[in-house]
Amino acid sequence: AGLEQVRKSTVIRRALEAFSDPDFIRVLQEGDTTGSFGASLDEFIRHFPAVKDEVMDEIIAMLKRVLEMGAADSPLVALNPGNTFLLRSARDEELRHHLDDLYGMMLESVTTFLEGLLEQHAQSEAFMQRDGWALIVRAVRSPLLPFSFIKSRTFESLHGLSSTLLDTSQEGVFKVLFAELQEGVRKPTICDDSSDAASYVALADPSALSAAEYAALHARLHNTTSVVVATALITYLVNGSGGGSLARCVKDVADIMPIDDFVQLVRAMCSAYYGGAQKAVAMEHVISTLPSAGDAKKADGAAGAASSAKGKGVEGRAASQQAMDIDESGSAGIEAFKRANCLILGEVAIGLTIEAGDFVECMSNSLGLGAKRDDSGGGSSSGTSEDAKVSGPLVAELVAFVHRVLELCEGVERTVVGAQIVDQVMVAVMKTLVFARHRIYLKLPVLTAFVDEGGLERFCRVLESVWAWAAELPAED
């Protein structure tokens, strides 16, 4: 009788509605409110298993409402847009200090609640069967998440939830993450932009962009952020549970995606590293040369410089770059909103380069992955008669990646930034060819193929040519 009264009262549905209600965002952030609620609901389900299915259905409905709140036209935007856009004026900089990432807070409450709820295998299994994990992962596509999302408490909670679910279904967790990453790399990112590193730096002053250009830039930045998040979750889980090798987490690549799609995804992530490395190093250098915040207040003439530059016929992004007036000495001033944009652009480019590099390293540790093929030798299939290794296609992609990033060193400018690019590339090359946490021989096929193609001689030539000028560069302050 008591259970029927609970059902008729719809109390569980009403409680779950709080997770998608803007009025409850801050309340749910207090203490361990959501985690305790999740653990209590888990206890309720275990004592009354008859309600398990309907409770899980209500949770899935709640997740769908939360996803809707992450849309570009969400009511959260009117309440507080959060740190989700590049600043275009000093006024934007003043508003920035009053912005809160409401959608990130909402997601944190949800993931913390789910961590408490899904500790038991029976609950987490039911959650996975209803595609609950896929709904959570889709939330990282939201344009309402900050560019620094990977450093947020919400990401930590998301990572914790993924680790919990990994004990239930490794293949299920990785299948969703790889599908999300595949979807992300198909969309425009900062690496698809044909502009060079200098033009990317110049975007720190987006005031010269049209409304359409400004919107397109944000679409690329937000999609890059979602790619970074999906990649980070994959590499963190592989490093945590597989010792750096995906082959220790899933028996067959066919369990997460067709082999051809998998190889194409590895190729896309190699390209992401290549496309982001120069921009990441350039932004990192700019950030390191920025004057202190106190000194920046003295730079009131920066806006005048922009106007003067346009008056002399310097247009578009070139004008923006000249207005920033950033040189290697780091003595120039910069307006506060441009400084904030430098940090945002750096966050995105550096995050992508680091995570893409870690992903490539994981793949070079995963040459033992199997892949089931069908009788025709085409894509993977559940009805299979032959097992194959993905090592052949993977080795080819990884060797091509090493050769391509070496191109960055061969054409690099003889500057401090150029030397930093060489540093980044050499670390990536060594992680791909040599470095490993254990069983270094797993990387041997990549190193052997690279040597057979004359790669070792090329590698040594690059090092020798760089050493000729990099050793004479003055040390940075």
Side-chain angles (χ1 to χ4, degrees), residues 84-104:
T84 60
F85 59 93
L86 291 179
L87 313 179
R88 289 193 283 187
S89 66
R91 182 176 178 276
D92 282 352
E93 165 61 20
E94 294 175 1
L95 291 175
R96 184 173 69 93
H97 300 291
H98 304 285
L99 297 177
D100 290 317
D101 299 311
L102 296 181
Y103 191 59

Side-chain angles (χ1 to χ4, degrees), residues 273-447:
Y273 179 92
Y274 179 86
Q278 286 177 301
K279 293 172 183 177
V281 171
M283 285 308 311
E284 194 169 28
H285 181 72
V286 166
I287 291 168
S288 70
T289 59
L290 288 176
S292 65
D295 294 338
K297 293 180 180 179
K298 303 175 183 178
D300 295 332
S307 175
S308 174
K310 293 179 182 178
K312 294 177 181 178
V314 183
E315 299 179 352
R317 293 174 179 171
S320 302
Q321 189 173 359
Q322 183 171 338
M324 286 180 63
D325 193 24
I326 297 174
D327 59 27
E328 291 193 4
S329 67
S331 59
I334 179 173
E335 287 180 278
F337 81 92
K338 297 176 187 176
R339 168 194 295 275
N341 288 342
C342 282
L343 296 176
I344 291 172
L345 293 168
E347 193 93 50
V348 175
I350 294 169
L352 176 64
T353 305
I354 291 174
E355 299 307 331
D358 287 348
F359 182 90
V360 173
E361 181 185 7
C362 283
M363 294 304 103
S364 71
N365 292 335
S366 306
L367 300 180
L369 270 172
K372 295 178 181 178
R373 290 185 177 277
D374 59 24
D375 294 329
S376 63
S380 59
S381 171
S382 56
T384 59
S385 60
E386 179 186 0
D387 283 353
K389 293 290 185 183
V390 297
S391 57
L394 264 185
V395 166
E397 293 299 336
L398 294 170
V399 171
F401 164 74
V402 174
H403 278 296
R404 193 178 184 198
V405 293
L406 284 175
E407 294 175 5
L408 294 175
C409 300
E410 292 171 334
V412 76
E413 296 181 359
R414 299 187 174 191
T415 62
V416 172
V417 175
Q420 291 172 336
I421 290 175
V422 173
D423 285 343
Q424 289 286 337
V425 167
M426 290 305 163
V427 170
V429 168
M430 297 306 290
K431 284 184 175 181
T432 305
L433 297 178
V434 181
F435 295 158
R437 292 186 179 186
H438 54 81
R439 297 198 295 178
I440 194 171
Y441 61 84
L442 289 177
K443 293 178 181 282
L444 190 59
V446 184
L447 179 60

Side-chain angles (χ1 to χ4, degrees), residues 155-407:
F155 177 80
E156 292 179 7
S157 183
L158 182 61
H159 178 218
L161 176 62
S162 66
S163 299
T164 298
L165 294 173
L166 206 64
D167 294 332
T168 299
S169 174
Q170 291 190 329
E171 289 82 4
V173 170
F174 281 112
K175 185 175 182 178
V176 168
L177 289 175
F178 272 89
E180 183 65 26
L181 183 57
Q182 183 182 41
E183 179 71 18
V185 297
R186 287 173 176 169
K187 298 176 182 178
T189 67
I190 61 168
C191 298
D192 303 320
D193 190 357
S194 60
S195 64
D196 56 17
S199 297
Y200 184 71
V201 170
L203 292 174
D205 182 4
S207 57
L209 300 179
S210 67
E213 289 174 327
Y214 186 67
L217 171 59
H218 280 88
R220 292 202 308 273
L221 290 172
H222 282 294
N223 190 58
T224 304
T225 300
S226 69
V227 167
V228 168
V229 173
T231 307
L233 286 172
I234 290 172
T235 56
Y236 288 9
L237 292 175
V238 170
N239 287 328
S241 63
S245 174
L246 183 62
R248 287 187 162 193
C249 301
V250 290
K251 296 179 180 179
D252 259 273
V253 72
D255 293 330
I256 54 177
M257 64 170 37
I259 181 173
D260 291 339
D261 289 353
F262 181 78
V263 174
Q264 289 175 7
L265 180 58
V266 173
R267 183 184 306 145
M269 293 307 297
C270 290
S271 297
Y273 179 92
Y274 179 86
Q278 286 177 301
K279 293 172 183 177
V281 171
M283 285 308 311
E284 194 169 28
H285 181 72
V286 166
I287 291 168
S288 70
T289 59
L290 288 176
S292 65
D295 294 338
K297 293 180 180 179
K298 303 175 183 178
D300 295 332
S307 175
S308 174
K310 293 179 182 178
K312 294 177 181 178
V314 183
E315 299 179 352
R317 293 174 179 171
S320 302
Q321 189 173 359
Q322 183 171 338
M324 286 180 63
D325 193 24
I326 297 174
D327 59 27
E328 291 193 4
S329 67
S331 59
I334 179 173
E335 287 180 278
F337 81 92
K338 297 176 187 176
R339 168 194 295 275
N341 288 342
C342 282
L343 296 176
I344 291 172
L345 293 168
E347 193 93 50
V348 175
I350 294 169
L352 176 64
T353 305
I354 291 174
E355 299 307 331
D358 287 348
F359 182 90
V360 173
E361 181 185 7
C362 283
M363 294 304 103
S364 71
N365 292 335
S366 306
L367 300 180
L369 270 172
K372 295 178 181 178
R373 290 185 177 277
D374 59 24
D375 294 329
S376 63
S380 59
S381 171
S382 56
T384 59
S385 60
E386 179 186 0
D387 283 353
K389 293 290 185 183
V390 297
S391 57
L394 264 185
V395 166
E397 293 299 336
L398 294 170
V399 171
F401 164 74
V402 174
H403 278 296
R404 193 178 184 198
V405 293
L406 284 175
E407 294 175 5

Side-chain angles (χ1 to χ4, degrees), residues 134-149:
L135 290 172
I136 287 289
V137 172
R138 277 174 52 193
V140 304
R141 303 179 191 177
S142 172
L144 304 188
L145 291 177
F147 299 115
S148 59
F149 179 72

